[in-house]
Amino acid sequence: MGPGGACWRGGGVPGGLKRWLSSAAPAPRVCVVGSGPAGFYTAQHILKVLAHVAFLSFSLNCDFLLQHHGGAQVDIYEKLPVPFGLVRFGVAPDHPEVKNVTNTFTQTARSERCAYYGNVTVGRDITVPELQQAYHAVVLSYGAEDNRVLGIPGENLSGVHSARAFVGWYNGLPENQDLKPDLSCETALILGHGNVALDIARILLSPLQLLRKTDITAGSLAALTCSKVKRVWLVGRRGPLQVAFTIKELREMINLPGTRPVLSPADFTGLENAIKDAPRPRKRLTELMIKTALEKPGEKTVEVQAAAPREWGLKFQRSPQEVLPSTDGTRVRGVRMALTRLEGSGDSAKAIPTGDVEDLECGLVLSSIGYRSLPLDPAVPFDAQRGVIPNSSGRVEGVPGLYCSGWVKRGPTGVIITTMNDSFDTAQSVLEDLQVGTLDMSSSREGFGAVESILRSRGVRPVSFSDWEKIDAAEVARGKAAGKPREKIVDPQEMLQLIGH
């Protein structure tokens, strides 16, 4: 495949592209809504391919075409002053290597053909139809801004939080800074068996000297310093063969200093045979759980584990029925679980209640059962049942020129590499529509020029990427003073004051 992906299979310039190159089409103006991985990867791919088009124009000696297609512009809009979405606000503070992807995103944002406009809420400050008037193509990549609810009695009791809010709290997401989770209990219960659930368990149980070296927020570090939590149960509706976390995260949890894993051997007996023909990642993951549960540790390991002040464990085939209130009815004291049996096997196995129940005592409940996208604008179709924008390869159904990528396109699953491939797929759809004439390129579009006047009339001042770099420098400087990679500013007003807004 050539530098431009699917458009240039075969090595030459296809006829449709030649026609596009030889037409007097105006420079494409594309806007992306959302500056997380989906938004940046979509922008990156479009810019890369259009740069290749400009190169082809140059090699064909088409100065006019070089001027136009080389002038293609991608603008990224973000509701917060700061970019990078879940890389900044979702990735665990003790996983700095995962955040290195922001270096690539920064290169994209610094491109002369890309611009970043933070502090702009699409759907409120500017509508999607207004963006469609200003751009040839609009890509919605705003992710999943909400969480799935349990839908059980007691869910709103004090001490019950969504994983999304808790992760946002320790990662500096402005909307979650007033969460104030009560960490005065000894036992926390996390509902869910995914990587986010393991992240939360690890943050709750990590030695403070490890957390102090990360970019965890000052407020959450202070709260964790006073935490009394010493036991975390991770509870799932299904069995060991259906857990959604990955081996890297599990191994990290097993090896966490000062903690010991508590896995019941009864949950894993007979599983060696069941995984013989399983895919390698599932097989290795299950083998690690079996080893942790069944292995007779050596004398030294026993001594170390016995001295471990904290513990965590996996509980299977339990489905939350009700959050149990304290005597005064104000806060959580436990969760009533329906015991389940599995029907079917593998990923498609379903958890069926057996009729038996079990009460698990705890003082903190964190629900990690998935994120959920929300509708952005009445003009955009939305499947409320699935929590996605109905689309085909990223093309929004029934709205030419409108696209989507990332979690709002396919649902809140997968890791950053999944989002990258998905975003490239959407970007390819935009480029193909540009090539074959599906997009209306008959007239030039003003892009941000048109948007800026609308925003000004509504009293909205966008934040540029160079503004963000000032915020970034301030955070890094504050972090250095505290012996951390950065100290995140959590108040948007403070961010805006810092850059003179």
Side-chain angles (χ1 to χ4, degrees):
M1 190 180 289
C7 281
W8 342 110
R9 288 189 193 98
V13 183
L17 183 60
K18 276 184 180 166
R19 284 192 299 279
W20 182 46
L21 284 169
S22 58
S23 66
R29 292 280 180 269
V30 179
C31 102
V32 173
V33 178
S35 71
F40 264 106
Y41 279 128
T42 303
Q44 179 186 313
H45 194 68
I46 289 171
L47 288 168
K48 178 182 171 185
V49 174
L50 289 178
H52 188 64
V53 169
F55 171 76
L56 288 175
S57 303
F58 177 77
S59 64
L60 292 169
N61 289 323
C62 301
D63 293 340
F64 174 81
L65 298 172
L66 178 61
Q67 174 192 333
H68 277 253
H69 296 300
Q73 179 75 28
V74 178
D75 294 339
I76 300 172
Y77 291 89
E78 166 60 53
K79 70 173 184 176
L80 291 170
V82 294
F84 308 139
L86 273 187
V87 179
R88 179 179 168 98
F89 298 118
V91 174
D94 56 350
H95 283 175
E97 71 287 349
V98 181
K99 303 183 189 192
N100 290 340
V101 70
T102 59
N103 297 332
T104 310
F105 297 162
T106 296
Q107 284 181 345
T108 299
R110 284 176 177 164
S111 158
E112 60 185 16
R113 292 182 297 118
C114 183
Y116 167 84
Y117 301 105
N119 199 38
V120 177
T121 302
V122 174
R124 185 192 69 190
D125 299 336
I126 186 128
T127 67
V128 171
E130 285 170 334
L131 288 175
Q132 288 178 285
Q133 288 292 310
Y135 293 89
H136 294 108
V138 174
V139 186
L140 304 175
S141 307
Y142 61 88
E145 299 182 291
D146 200 8
N147 54 277
R148 286 174 58 200
V149 295
L150 291 164
I152 59 174
E155 186 171 7
N156 296 320
L157 283 169
S158 177
V160 182
H161 306 284
S162 72
R164 184 186 180 279
F166 193 77
V167 170
W169 169 70
Y170 65 64
N171 269 336
L173 187 61
E175 68 190 67
N176 299 131
Q177 290 319 292
D178 298 326
L179 192 71
K180 295 184 173 58
D182 184 353
L183 305 178
S184 64
C185 61
E186 287 196 353
T187 304
L189 202 64
I190 302 174
L191 301 171
H193 278 168
N195 280 341
V196 173
L198 279 185
D199 279 348
I200 292 171
R202 204 176 59 254
I203 296 299
L204 282 171
L205 297 178
S206 278
L208 290 167
Q209 66 265 29
L210 294 184
L211 291 179
R212 286 193 184 103
K213 296 172 185 168
T214 73
D215 67 359
I216 192 167
T217 62
S220 52
L221 184 60
L224 287 162
T225 302
C226 303
S227 172
K228 298 285 190 291
V229 175
K230 63 179 185 182
R231 185 181 304 105
V232 177
W233 295 117
L234 297 99
V235 187
R237 298 169 193 264
R238 301 191 294 170
L241 295 179
Q242 287 80 36
V243 295
F245 49 71
T246 50
I247 194 165
K248 177 184 177 289
E249 277 69 22
L250 177 64
R251 191 178 288 119
E252 206 174 352
M253 197 71 215
I254 291 168
N255 296 327
L256 189 66
T259 68
R260 64 188 187 96
V262 182
L263 275 62
S264 169
D267 289 328
F268 299 93
T269 47
L271 284 192
E272 288 99 332
N273 288 331
I275 57 166
K276 273 181 183 167
D277 300 321
R280 190 165 180 267
R282 173 66 66 187
K283 189 176 181 183
R284 288 179 63 232
L285 176 64
T286 310
E287 284 170 348
L288 180 57
M289 286 190 283
I290 293 170
K291 182 181 176 209
T292 307
L294 304 180
E295 189 179 57
K296 297 283 183 285
E299 215 171 287
K300 196 164 186 184
T301 312
V302 170
E303 285 172 21
V304 170
Q305 291 200 341
R310 298 177 173 189
E311 63 182 21
W312 65 275
L314 301 171
K315 289 186 179 288
F316 301 100
Q317 292 181 231
R318 289 164 170 84
S319 180
Q321 264 195 339
E322 180 186 354
V323 179
L324 303 170
S326 55
T327 316
D328 62 5
T330 59
R331 55 172 297 105
V332 58
R333 70 167 174 85
V335 179
R336 179 156 294 159
M337 295 286 179
L339 302 186
T340 66
R341 59 181 173 82
L342 295 187
E343 275 190 6
S345 60
D347 291 340
S348 59
K350 287 189 165 50
I352 312 295
T354 62
D356 294 326
V357 296
E358 172 187 78
D359 292 351
L360 293 178
E361 300 292 318
C362 61
L364 176 67
V365 176
L366 298 162
S367 168
S368 185
I369 59 168
Y371 288 31
R372 191 169 65 106
S373 294
L374 298 171
L376 184 74
D377 189 298
V380 181
F382 192 79
D383 182 339
Q385 188 78 34
R386 293 173 55 225
V388 296
I389 295 171
N391 70 91
S392 174
S393 295
R395 297 175 177 92
V396 176
E397 287 179 9
V399 192
L402 189 61
Y403 303 82
C404 57
S405 69
W407 283 4
V408 77
K409 168 187 172 184
R410 71 175 192 278
T413 56
V415 291
I416 289 178
I417 192 77
T418 326
T419 297
M420 181 184 80
N421 291 327
D422 165 88
S423 302
F424 287 179
D425 173 63
T426 292
Q428 203 59 49
S429 293
V430 175
L431 294 161
E432 284 168 9
D433 291 352
L434 202 56
Q435 178 196 334
V436 300
T438 307
L439 288 176
D440 179 13
M441 296 293 295
S442 58
S443 60
S444 61
R445 302 286 170 97
E446 285 185 62
F448 181 67
V451 172
E452 185 179 27
S453 55
I454 295 171
L455 293 177
R456 194 183 299 120
S457 72
R458 291 171 186 165
V460 179
R461 286 183 69 188
V463 167
S464 69
F465 200 76
S466 59
D467 287 333
W468 148 246
E469 290 184 314
K470 290 174 193 167
I471 297 169
D472 178 44
E475 289 187 343
V476 170
R478 292 180 190 189
K480 193 174 181 184
K484 302 168 66 175
R486 74 171 60 239
E487 187 62 72
K488 287 179 184 171
I489 298 168
V490 298
D491 179 7
Q493 286 311 311
E494 189 182 345
M495 294 175 192
L496 295 175
Q497 283 168 6
L498 188 73
I499 56 175
H501 264 48

